Amino acid sequence: EKAMNHIAIIEDELETAHQYHDLLESYLHQRQRCAVIDLYPQGKTFLESFRKQYDLLLMDIQMDEMDGIETARYVRKQDPEVCLIFITSMEQFAIQGYQVEAFRYLLKPLNPEELFSALDKAYARIDKAAPQRILIRTLEGETQLEVNQIEYAEIRQRQLWIHCGVQLYRCNMTLNRFEELLNNPDFFRCHEGYLIHMKYVRRFGRQEVIMNSEAVIPVSRMKKNDFLAAFARYVGARQDV
């Protein structure tokens, strides 16, 4: 299921802003995506409500009071990750646009095909950066867990205990089912009763793994070689990125 995204259009010409809004709506409909789209008439009003809540910004460069480049400099101080697409009629702004890490730079009048192509690439980056979440039913009720935050899971007292830093979630689920739900190669079943996230492995001994939290997790003799191979693959994949 695709996530609901948050997009801002910062454009001082009202008619143009509505044109961009209609093009975005058309794109979202074609790609079967959902997004909340906010319109701002100038950089200053946008910055007043900016709280790192956006996935994508479509911004005009030439605006009264505060131009798009200056607005983007303030944005980057708060949010180095948000995807920024500049739209302008002046080609010479391109170099300045890249100084604030603009993702794309589109010229007016806006070509819908060029915009859609830029949006496809922007969404590919947004989707990749989005944290993977799973919905589980804990003893306290339904909870969304961010997969990246899960350190390890274990079977204890006939329950599944999921360790996320200082947070502990308990639920009535088998470890097999939880592993299927994660479906993530960064996790390894090192023992019948334990599933570890290799991101949090600090070091390993002869028959155990020490996690970042100092938890000592047993590695069964039969799984040791498989674990070493999987951990080497994990480290190698990180170096290739």
Side-chain angles (χ1 to χ4, degrees):
E1 192 179 319
K2 290 168 181 169
M4 170 76 80
N5 298 110
H6 209 169
I7 301 171
I9 296 170
I10 306 102
E11 164 63 65
D12 59 353
E13 292 173 12
L14 190 61
E15 197 178 322
T16 307
H18 284 297
Q19 181 200 342
Y20 297 165
H21 183 277
D22 291 347
L23 282 169
L24 263 175
E25 289 278 18
S26 173
Y27 172 84
L28 294 165
H29 179 71
Q30 281 188 30
R31 300 294 191 270
Q32 296 182 311
R33 286 186 170 274
C34 296
V36 174
I37 304 170
D38 296 332
L39 299 180
Y40 294 93
Q42 51 182 305
K44 204 173 174 184
T45 51
F46 165 70
L47 289 174
E48 282 166 8
S49 64
F50 181 64
R51 301 286 181 276
K52 284 182 71 170
Q53 72 269 48
Y54 292 102
D55 301 292
L56 176 65
L57 308 178
L58 256 67
M59 189 163 358
D60 186 17
I61 290 185
Q62 296 135 287
M63 293 184 288
D64 294 336
E65 282 194 57
M66 182 183 281
D67 68 23
I69 300 291
E70 196 183 344
T71 305
R73 287 199 182 107
Y74 281 100
V75 166
R76 284 291 176 240
K77 285 177 188 174
Q78 288 187 60
D79 191 344
E81 303 298 325
V82 64
C83 211
L84 172 60
I85 294 177
F86 274 133
I87 304 168
T88 185
S89 53
M90 308 286 279
E91 280 191 53
Q92 66 261 37
F93 285 113
I95 293 165
Q96 288 175 283
Y98 289 115
Q99 287 171 355
V100 288
E101 294 179 63
F103 180 73
R104 281 291 182 278
Y105 181 89
L106 301 175
L107 285 174
K108 291 180 179 180
L110 203 53
N111 178 325
E113 279 184 27
E114 282 182 18
L115 174 65
F116 284 22
S117 173
L119 290 170
D120 280 341
K121 291 180 174 70
Y123 265 115
R125 192 176 100 169
I126 291 163
D127 290 344
K128 196 175 177 184
Q132 183 196 354
R133 290 187 175 91
I134 54 168
L135 185 67
I136 59 160
R137 182 169 287 158
T138 69
L139 300 184
E140 287 76 37
E142 287 199 337
T143 307
Q144 272 210 345
L145 290 187
E146 206 168 295
V147 170
N148 215 25
Q149 302 296 318
I150 299 169
E151 186 178 16
Y152 68 98
E154 62 176 322
I155 293 296
R156 190 185 285 199
Q157 298 171 6
R158 294 187 177 180
Q159 292 172 340
L160 177 68
W161 288 24
I162 304 165
H163 299 263
C164 303
V166 294
Q167 289 279 359
L168 172 66
Y169 299 93
R170 295 176 301 154
C171 48
N172 293 314
M173 185 190 291
T174 66
L175 198 54
N176 285 345
R177 176 72 191 105
F178 185 60
E179 194 175 3
E180 284 170 14
L181 192 63
L182 285 170
N183 188 27
N184 189 315
D186 293 350
F187 287 81
F188 185 80
R189 185 78 171 267
C190 60
H191 186 279
E192 191 177 285
Y194 290 89
L195 180 72
I196 59 170
H197 192 167
M198 287 187 280
K199 173 186 173 181
Y200 293 98
V201 170
R202 182 177 288 178
R203 61 186 187 276
F204 36 90
R206 289 178 65 187
Q207 293 299 145
E208 72 283 330
V209 181
I210 293 86
M211 308 299 285
N212 279 354
S213 63
E214 298 294 340
V216 179
I217 311 294
V219 178
S220 68
R221 200 167 295 163
M222 288 175 66
K223 293 284 186 86
K224 180 155 189 198
N225 287 340
D226 287 346
F227 166 70
L228 293 173
F231 191 73
R233 276 196 305 275
Y234 171 80
V235 172
R238 293 295 159 288
Q239 290 171 344
D240 291 340
V241 171

Short mmCIF file of all heavy atoms in Angstrom, two decimals, residues 128 132 147-153 178-179 182-190 195-201 209 211 227 230-239 241:
data_model
loop_
_atom_site.label_atom_id
_atom_site.label_comp_id
_atom_site.label_asym_id
_atom_site.label_seq_id
_atom_site.Cartn_x
_atom_site.Cartn_y
_atom_site.Cartn_z
N LYS A 128 11.96 5.12 -1.50
CA LYS A 128 13.15 4.42 -1.00
C LYS A 128 13.51 4.90 0.41
O LYS A 128 13.94 4.13 1.25
CB LYS A 128 14.33 4.68 -1.95
CG LYS A 128 15.50 3.74 -1.76
CD LYS A 128 16.55 3.98 -2.82
CE LYS A 128 17.75 3.07 -2.59
NZ LYS A 128 18.83 3.35 -3.54
N GLN A 132 9.96 1.58 6.49
CA GLN A 132 9.02 0.46 6.37
C GLN A 132 8.34 0.26 7.72
O GLN A 132 9.00 0.26 8.76
CB GLN A 132 9.80 -0.81 5.98
CG GLN A 132 8.90 -2.02 5.75
CD GLN A 132 9.68 -3.33 5.73
OE1 GLN A 132 10.90 -3.36 5.78
NE2 GLN A 132 8.95 -4.43 5.68
N VAL A 147 10.14 -0.76 11.14
CA VAL A 147 11.02 -1.94 11.03
C VAL A 147 12.46 -1.59 11.39
O VAL A 147 13.17 -2.36 12.04
CB VAL A 147 10.93 -2.55 9.62
CG1 VAL A 147 11.99 -3.62 9.39
CG2 VAL A 147 9.53 -3.14 9.39
N ASN A 148 12.90 -0.42 10.97
CA ASN A 148 14.28 0.02 11.22
C ASN A 148 14.61 0.12 12.70
O ASN A 148 15.78 0.08 13.09
CB ASN A 148 14.48 1.39 10.56
CG ASN A 148 15.86 1.53 10.01
OD1 ASN A 148 16.53 0.55 9.71
ND2 ASN A 148 16.34 2.76 9.90
N GLN A 149 13.57 0.27 13.55
CA GLN A 149 13.78 0.44 14.99
C GLN A 149 13.82 -0.90 15.74
O GLN A 149 14.14 -0.94 16.93
CB GLN A 149 12.65 1.29 15.58
CG GLN A 149 12.49 2.67 14.97
CD GLN A 149 13.69 3.56 15.22
OE1 GLN A 149 14.24 3.58 16.30
NE2 GLN A 149 14.10 4.30 14.20
N ILE A 150 13.49 -2.00 15.05
CA ILE A 150 13.45 -3.31 15.72
C ILE A 150 14.87 -3.86 15.86
O ILE A 150 15.58 -4.04 14.86
CB ILE A 150 12.57 -4.31 14.93
CG1 ILE A 150 11.13 -3.79 14.83
CG2 ILE A 150 12.61 -5.69 15.59
CD1 ILE A 150 10.26 -4.56 13.84
N GLU A 151 15.30 -4.11 17.08
CA GLU A 151 16.65 -4.64 17.31
C GLU A 151 16.65 -6.17 17.22
O GLU A 151 17.45 -6.75 16.51
CB GLU A 151 17.16 -4.19 18.68
CG GLU A 151 18.61 -4.60 18.91
CD GLU A 151 19.15 -4.10 20.26
OE1 GLU A 151 18.35 -3.72 21.13
OE2 GLU A 151 20.37 -4.13 20.43
N TYR A 152 15.74 -6.80 17.96
CA TYR A 152 15.61 -8.26 17.86
C TYR A 152 14.26 -8.67 18.43
O TYR A 152 13.57 -7.89 19.08
CB TYR A 152 16.75 -8.99 18.57
CG TYR A 152 16.78 -8.88 20.08
CD1 TYR A 152 16.26 -9.90 20.89
CD2 TYR A 152 17.35 -7.78 20.70
CE1 TYR A 152 16.30 -9.79 22.27
CE2 TYR A 152 17.40 -7.67 22.09
CZ TYR A 152 16.87 -8.68 22.87
OH TYR A 152 16.90 -8.59 24.24
N ALA A 153 13.89 -9.90 18.13
CA ALA A 153 12.64 -10.47 18.67
C ALA A 153 12.97 -11.84 19.24
O ALA A 153 13.88 -12.53 18.76
CB ALA A 153 11.59 -10.58 17.57
N PHE A 178 6.08 -13.76 12.49
CA PHE A 178 6.69 -12.44 12.55
C PHE A 178 7.78 -12.28 11.47
O PHE A 178 7.87 -11.25 10.81
CB PHE A 178 7.29 -12.21 13.95
CG PHE A 178 7.84 -10.81 14.15
CD1 PHE A 178 7.01 -9.70 14.03
CD2 PHE A 178 9.17 -10.62 14.46
CE1 PHE A 178 7.51 -8.41 14.21
CE2 PHE A 178 9.67 -9.34 14.65
CZ PHE A 178 8.84 -8.24 14.53
N GLU A 179 8.55 -13.34 11.28
CA GLU A 179 9.60 -13.32 10.25
C GLU A 179 8.98 -13.16 8.86
O GLU A 179 9.48 -12.41 8.01
CB GLU A 179 10.41 -14.62 10.34
CG GLU A 179 11.71 -14.58 9.57
CD GLU A 179 12.55 -15.84 9.79
OE1 GLU A 179 12.11 -16.77 10.50
OE2 GLU A 179 13.65 -15.89 9.21
N LEU A 182 7.80 -9.52 8.41
CA LEU A 182 8.90 -8.60 8.12
C LEU A 182 9.38 -8.76 6.68
O LEU A 182 9.59 -7.78 5.97
CB LEU A 182 10.07 -8.86 9.07
CG LEU A 182 9.93 -8.37 10.51
CD1 LEU A 182 11.07 -8.91 11.36
CD2 LEU A 182 9.91 -6.86 10.56
N ASN A 183 9.58 -10.01 6.27
CA ASN A 183 10.04 -10.31 4.91
C ASN A 183 11.21 -9.39 4.53
O ASN A 183 11.17 -8.68 3.52
CB ASN A 183 8.88 -10.15 3.92
CG ASN A 183 9.24 -10.64 2.52
OD1 ASN A 183 10.11 -11.50 2.37
ND2 ASN A 183 8.62 -10.07 1.51
N ASN A 184 12.24 -9.39 5.37
CA ASN A 184 13.33 -8.43 5.23
C ASN A 184 14.67 -9.16 5.37
O ASN A 184 14.94 -9.78 6.40
CB ASN A 184 13.17 -7.35 6.31
CG ASN A 184 14.12 -6.20 6.12
OD1 ASN A 184 15.29 -6.37 5.85
ND2 ASN A 184 13.61 -4.98 6.27
N PRO A 185 15.56 -9.06 4.36
CA PRO A 185 16.83 -9.79 4.41
C PRO A 185 17.81 -9.28 5.47
O PRO A 185 18.82 -9.92 5.74
CB PRO A 185 17.41 -9.58 3.00
CG PRO A 185 16.78 -8.32 2.50
CD PRO A 185 15.41 -8.28 3.11
N ASP A 186 17.49 -8.12 6.09
CA ASP A 186 18.38 -7.58 7.13
C ASP A 186 18.16 -8.26 8.48
O ASP A 186 18.87 -7.97 9.44
CB ASP A 186 18.17 -6.07 7.29
CG ASP A 186 18.61 -5.29 6.06
OD1 ASP A 186 19.25 -5.89 5.17
OD2 ASP A 186 18.31 -4.09 5.97
N PHE A 187 17.16 -9.16 8.53
CA PHE A 187 16.91 -9.92 9.76
C PHE A 187 17.36 -11.36 9.57
O PHE A 187 17.24 -11.92 8.47
CB PHE A 187 15.42 -9.89 10.11
CG PHE A 187 14.96 -8.55 10.64
CD1 PHE A 187 14.67 -7.51 9.77
CD2 PHE A 187 14.84 -8.33 12.00
CE1 PHE A 187 14.27 -6.27 10.25
CE2 PHE A 187 14.43 -7.10 12.50
CZ PHE A 187 14.15 -6.06 11.62
N PHE A 188 17.89 -11.95 10.65
CA PHE A 188 18.39 -13.33 10.55
C PHE A 188 17.91 -14.15 11.73
O PHE A 188 17.99 -13.72 12.89
CB PHE A 188 19.92 -13.33 10.48
CG PHE A 188 20.50 -14.70 10.26
CD1 PHE A 188 20.52 -15.26 8.98
CD2 PHE A 188 20.98 -15.44 11.32
CE1 PHE A 188 21.03 -16.54 8.77
CE2 PHE A 188 21.49 -16.72 11.12
CZ PHE A 188 21.51 -17.27 9.85
N ARG A 189 17.43 -15.33 11.43
CA ARG A 189 16.95 -16.28 12.47
C ARG A 189 18.17 -17.07 12.95
O ARG A 189 18.54 -18.10 12.39
CB ARG A 189 15.88 -17.18 11.85
CG ARG A 189 15.21 -18.13 12.84
CD ARG A 189 14.17 -17.41 13.68
NE ARG A 189 13.39 -18.35 14.46
CZ ARG A 189 12.23 -18.88 14.05
NH1 ARG A 189 11.72 -18.54 12.88
NH2 ARG A 189 11.58 -19.73 14.82
N CYS A 190 18.82 -16.56 14.00
CA CYS A 190 20.08 -17.17 14.45
C CYS A 190 19.86 -18.35 15.39
O CYS A 190 20.80 -19.08 15.73
CB CYS A 190 20.95 -16.12 15.12
SG CYS A 190 20.15 -15.36 16.56
N LEU A 195 15.25 -13.84 16.54
CA LEU A 195 15.39 -13.22 15.22
C LEU A 195 16.10 -11.87 15.45
O LEU A 195 15.60 -11.03 16.20
CB LEU A 195 14.01 -12.98 14.59
CG LEU A 195 13.98 -12.33 13.21
CD1 LEU A 195 14.48 -13.29 12.13
CD2 LEU A 195 12.56 -11.87 12.86
N ILE A 196 17.25 -11.68 14.80
CA ILE A 196 18.02 -10.46 15.05
C ILE A 196 18.07 -9.56 13.82
O ILE A 196 18.01 -10.03 12.69
CB ILE A 196 19.47 -10.77 15.52
CG1 ILE A 196 20.21 -11.61 14.46
CG2 ILE A 196 19.48 -11.45 16.87
CD1 ILE A 196 21.70 -11.75 14.73
N HIS A 197 18.16 -8.26 14.09
CA HIS A 197 18.33 -7.26 13.03
C HIS A 197 19.83 -7.00 12.94
O HIS A 197 20.44 -6.51 13.88
CB HIS A 197 17.58 -5.98 13.43
CG HIS A 197 17.43 -5.01 12.31
ND1 HIS A 197 16.58 -3.92 12.38
CD2 HIS A 197 18.01 -4.94 11.09
CE1 HIS A 197 16.64 -3.23 11.25
NE2 HIS A 197 17.51 -3.83 10.46
N MET A 198 20.41 -7.31 11.78
CA MET A 198 21.87 -7.24 11.66
C MET A 198 22.42 -5.82 11.78
O MET A 198 23.58 -5.62 12.08
CB MET A 198 22.32 -7.92 10.38
CG MET A 198 22.19 -9.43 10.53
SD MET A 198 22.85 -10.39 9.18
CE MET A 198 21.55 -10.25 8.00
N LYS A 199 21.56 -4.84 11.57
CA LYS A 199 21.96 -3.44 11.76
C LYS A 199 22.45 -3.18 13.18
O LYS A 199 23.28 -2.31 13.42
CB LYS A 199 20.74 -2.55 11.45
CG LYS A 199 20.93 -1.09 11.75
CD LYS A 199 19.64 -0.32 11.55
CE LYS A 199 19.81 1.12 12.03
NZ LYS A 199 18.60 1.91 11.89
N TYR A 200 21.91 -3.94 14.15
CA TYR A 200 22.21 -3.69 15.56
C TYR A 200 23.24 -4.67 16.14
O TYR A 200 23.45 -4.67 17.36
CB TYR A 200 20.92 -3.74 16.38
CG TYR A 200 19.97 -2.62 16.06
CD1 TYR A 200 18.90 -2.82 15.18
CD2 TYR A 200 20.14 -1.35 16.59
CE1 TYR A 200 18.03 -1.78 14.86
CE2 TYR A 200 19.28 -0.31 16.28
CZ TYR A 200 18.23 -0.53 15.42
OH TYR A 200 17.37 0.50 15.09
N VAL A 201 23.87 -5.47 15.31
CA VAL A 201 24.90 -6.39 15.79
C VAL A 201 26.18 -5.60 16.07
O VAL A 201 26.71 -4.92 15.18
CB VAL A 201 25.18 -7.51 14.77
CG1 VAL A 201 26.41 -8.32 15.18
CG2 VAL A 201 23.97 -8.42 14.62
N VAL A 209 25.81 -13.58 19.78
CA VAL A 209 25.91 -12.27 19.14
C VAL A 209 25.64 -11.23 20.22
O VAL A 209 24.70 -11.39 21.01
CB VAL A 209 24.85 -12.11 18.02
CG1 VAL A 209 25.00 -10.75 17.36
CG2 VAL A 209 24.97 -13.19 16.99
N MET A 211 24.45 -7.49 20.86
CA MET A 211 23.75 -6.43 20.16
C MET A 211 24.17 -5.06 20.71
O MET A 211 24.84 -4.97 21.73
CB MET A 211 22.23 -6.61 20.32
CG MET A 211 21.73 -7.99 19.94
SD MET A 211 22.03 -8.44 18.21
CE MET A 211 20.78 -7.45 17.37
N PHE A 227 24.89 -17.63 9.47
CA PHE A 227 24.88 -16.27 10.02
C PHE A 227 26.07 -15.47 9.52
O PHE A 227 25.93 -14.31 9.10
CB PHE A 227 24.87 -16.31 11.56
CG PHE A 227 25.20 -14.98 12.16
CD1 PHE A 227 24.31 -13.92 12.07
CD2 PHE A 227 26.43 -14.76 12.78
CE1 PHE A 227 24.63 -12.66 12.60
CE2 PHE A 227 26.75 -13.51 13.30
CZ PHE A 227 25.85 -12.46 13.21
N ALA A 230 25.49 -14.48 5.98
CA ALA A 230 24.44 -13.46 5.86
C ALA A 230 24.95 -12.11 6.35
O ALA A 230 24.65 -11.06 5.75
CB ALA A 230 23.21 -13.88 6.67
N PHE A 231 25.74 -12.11 7.42
CA PHE A 231 26.27 -10.85 7.95
C PHE A 231 27.27 -10.23 6.96
O PHE A 231 27.27 -9.00 6.77
CB PHE A 231 26.94 -11.08 9.31
CG PHE A 231 27.27 -9.80 10.03
CD1 PHE A 231 26.26 -9.03 10.60
CD2 PHE A 231 28.58 -9.35 10.11
CE1 PHE A 231 26.55 -7.83 11.23
CE2 PHE A 231 28.87 -8.15 10.74
CZ PHE A 231 27.87 -7.39 11.31
N ALA A 232 28.09 -11.06 6.34
CA ALA A 232 29.04 -10.56 5.33
C ALA A 232 28.28 -9.94 4.15
O ALA A 232 28.68 -8.90 3.62
CB ALA A 232 29.94 -11.70 4.85
N ARG A 233 27.17 -10.58 3.74
CA ARG A 233 26.35 -10.03 2.65
C ARG A 233 25.75 -8.69 3.05
O ARG A 233 25.71 -7.74 2.28
CB ARG A 233 25.21 -11.00 2.28
CG ARG A 233 25.62 -12.10 1.32
CD ARG A 233 24.39 -12.76 0.70
NE ARG A 233 23.45 -13.28 1.68
CZ ARG A 233 23.55 -14.48 2.26
NH1 ARG A 233 24.55 -15.28 1.94
NH2 ARG A 233 22.64 -14.88 3.13
N TYR A 234 25.29 -8.62 4.32
CA TYR A 234 24.68 -7.39 4.83
C TYR A 234 25.70 -6.24 4.80
O TYR A 234 25.41 -5.15 4.33
CB TYR A 234 24.17 -7.61 6.26
CG TYR A 234 23.71 -6.36 6.95
CD1 TYR A 234 22.45 -5.81 6.69
CD2 TYR A 234 24.56 -5.68 7.85
CE1 TYR A 234 22.04 -4.63 7.31
CE2 TYR A 234 24.15 -4.51 8.47
CZ TYR A 234 22.90 -4.00 8.20
OH TYR A 234 22.49 -2.83 8.79
N VAL A 235 26.90 -6.49 5.32
CA VAL A 235 27.96 -5.46 5.36
C VAL A 235 28.36 -5.07 3.93
O VAL A 235 28.50 -3.88 3.62
CB VAL A 235 29.17 -5.95 6.16
CG1 VAL A 235 30.34 -4.98 6.04
CG2 VAL A 235 28.79 -6.15 7.63
N GLY A 236 28.47 -6.06 3.05
CA GLY A 236 28.84 -5.79 1.66
C GLY A 236 27.81 -4.94 0.95
O GLY A 236 28.15 -4.01 0.21
N ALA A 237 26.53 -5.21 1.21
CA ALA A 237 25.45 -4.42 0.57
C ALA A 237 25.49 -2.98 1.04
O ALA A 237 25.22 -2.05 0.25
CB ALA A 237 24.09 -5.05 0.91
N ARG A 238 25.86 -2.76 2.31
CA ARG A 238 25.93 -1.38 2.82
C ARG A 238 27.09 -0.63 2.15
O ARG A 238 27.01 0.57 1.93
CB ARG A 238 26.16 -1.36 4.36
CG ARG A 238 24.98 -1.89 5.15
CD ARG A 238 23.76 -0.98 4.97
NE ARG A 238 22.50 -1.59 5.26
CZ ARG A 238 21.88 -2.51 4.55
NH1 ARG A 238 22.43 -3.02 3.48
NH2 ARG A 238 20.68 -2.93 4.87
N GLN A 239 28.17 -1.32 1.86
CA GLN A 239 29.33 -0.66 1.23
C GLN A 239 29.08 -0.32 -0.22
O GLN A 239 29.68 0.59 -0.78
CB GLN A 239 30.57 -1.56 1.36
CG GLN A 239 31.07 -1.65 2.79
CD GLN A 239 32.16 -2.70 2.99
OE1 GLN A 239 32.35 -3.57 2.13
NE2 GLN A 239 32.86 -2.62 4.11
N VAL A 241 26.22 0.80 -1.40
CA VAL A 241 25.24 1.89 -1.54
C VAL A 241 25.96 3.22 -1.80
O VAL A 241 26.94 3.52 -1.15
CB VAL A 241 24.37 1.99 -0.26
CG1 VAL A 241 23.51 3.25 -0.29
CG2 VAL A 241 23.51 0.76 -0.12
#
